DNA sequence: TGAAACTATCTCGATTTCGAGATAATCCGC
DNA sequence: GCGGATTATCTCGAAATCGAGATAGTTTCA
């Protein structure tokens, strides 16, 4: 096998899959799925955000975002609010229950991630971050121009 | 942001997502999804294989594997055959139509992957392969031991 | 040998995600 | 300030994936 791009795609998929399982396992016992966690996390770190902004960050389609936000609202973890300056947007915020939950989930999740990637020494983790950032941004840019 | 493991997880997910879109786009016009393509590809490269062996390589659960193989069999791209030495296993092979199809899909797919990862110079692609292989194997190993 | 543990595959129902398209609000160029 | 393009969100039905568990065959070893 000499085709590096194909090899890169394979190991990228495998690494993503394995690390994602660690992530899922660390949050599943709180009754929260990967995508729901993504919403809680971004709202926790950025504060109130429009749905579209959240969507961009959690890597699912808009219809799936609606679905996930519906569930979080039903569980009273997130609240919807109509935007005032731009009345197309719906702004999302954590409720206090949502804030409590994410604060409880986050520390073990960060530990799980540290453990998941510990096969790489810190220096190599930093290298991987740089390479993957370039790769991801480049691939994303090339998507649009096609 | 100083937490490298979390950063690594984010850029890994983003890179995977962006590259996967390239992959999907390159095979979707043949009416084949990512998982179906995985089955065709592995059978193309390895020849006849048991379902469980295919499953290990395409990163989905066994029930999903059954579902995907069902569809490929319905389209007469793959054939099931009962194993002889071990009668639990079902062996999968490409039909000649399946072989024809994968041979038609593969070259543009390889090109798409080359293009998708072209933001990294060949030398950095090779570095990324090494790092991701270590990361993936390490994370997978750490899954079991938990 | 025979029972218990393990492995391979499949079934079934539920969950998650997608894609196309509807609706409403905003932006832009003239 | 009008009309067409764009953007934000949501609805709906279909497709993909999962998880638990059923079934059948195999391995292990007391």
């Amino acid at each position: 096998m000499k085709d590096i791009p194909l090899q890169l795609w394979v190991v990228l998929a495998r690494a993503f899959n394995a690390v994602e399982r660690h992530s899922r396992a660390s949050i599943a016992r709180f009754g929260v799925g990967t995508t729901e966690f993504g919403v809680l996390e971004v709202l926790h770190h950025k504060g109130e955000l429009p749905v579209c902004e959240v969507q961009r960050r959690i890597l699912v389609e808009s219809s799936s975002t609606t679905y996930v936000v519906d569930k979080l609202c039903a569980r009273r973890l997130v609240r919807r609010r109509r935007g005032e300056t731009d009345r197309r947007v719906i702004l999302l915020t954590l409720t206090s229950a949502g804030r409590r939950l994410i604060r409880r989930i986050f520390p073990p999740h960060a530990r799980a991630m540290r453990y998941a990637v510990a096969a790489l020494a810190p220096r190599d983790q930093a290298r991987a971050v740089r390479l993957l950032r370039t790769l991801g941004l480049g691939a994303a840019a090339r998507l649009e121009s096609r």
Side-chain angles (χ1 to χ4, degrees), chain A:
Chain A
M1 164 89 88
K2 283 232 16 182
D3 194 325
I4 306 285
L6 279 175
Q7 246 183 298
L8 177 49
W9 169 224
V10 170
V11 296
L12 176 62
R14 285 197 198 290
F16 171 77
N17 188 269
V19 176
E20 204 214 4
R21 282 169 194 268
H22 284 270
S23 171
R24 288 171 64 84
S26 89
I27 62 183
R29 58 201 149 105
F30 297 98
V32 173
T34 300
T35 310
E36 292 168 306
F37 178 75
V39 175
L40 296 177
E41 190 192 20
V42 66
L43 292 179
H44 179 55
H45 281 106
K46 307 282 176 184
E48 188 169 56
L49 283 180
V51 172
C52 61
E53 203 53 54
V54 171
Q55 190 220 321
R56 266 181 210 107
R57 294 163 195 268
I58 63 176
L59 306 176
V60 300
E61 296 305 311
S62 70
S63 52
S64 308
T65 308
T66 298
Y67 170 76
V68 173
V69 170
D70 277 352
K71 284 196 310 178
L72 292 172
C73 288
R75 286 172 67 183
R76 308 282 180 214
L77 298 171
V78 164
R79 209 180 2 251
R80 284 182 164 104
R81 183 166 77 80
R82 172 72 56 179
E84 281 148 18
T85 68
D86 184 340
R87 273 183 321 195
R88 289 170 303 181
V89 313
I90 303 281
L91 295 166
L92 301 177
T93 38
L94 293 177
T95 63
S96 61
R99 245 186 321 275
R100 249 191 327 272
L101 180 59
I102 187 68
R103 275 205 256 263
R104 219 148 49 87
I105 300 181
F106 202 79
H109 177 252
R111 271 196 299 280
M113 291 300 95
R114 224 171 297 138
Y115 178 66
V117 304
L120 295 180
R123 174 169 223 93
D124 281 340
Q125 292 176 17
R127 285 195 184 106
V129 167
R130 277 194 298 277
L131 290 170
L132 287 170
R133 183 175 290 138
T134 303
L135 175 58
L137 290 176
R142 275 150 225 264
L143 273 172
E144 328 217 331
S145 64
R146 267 260 150 132

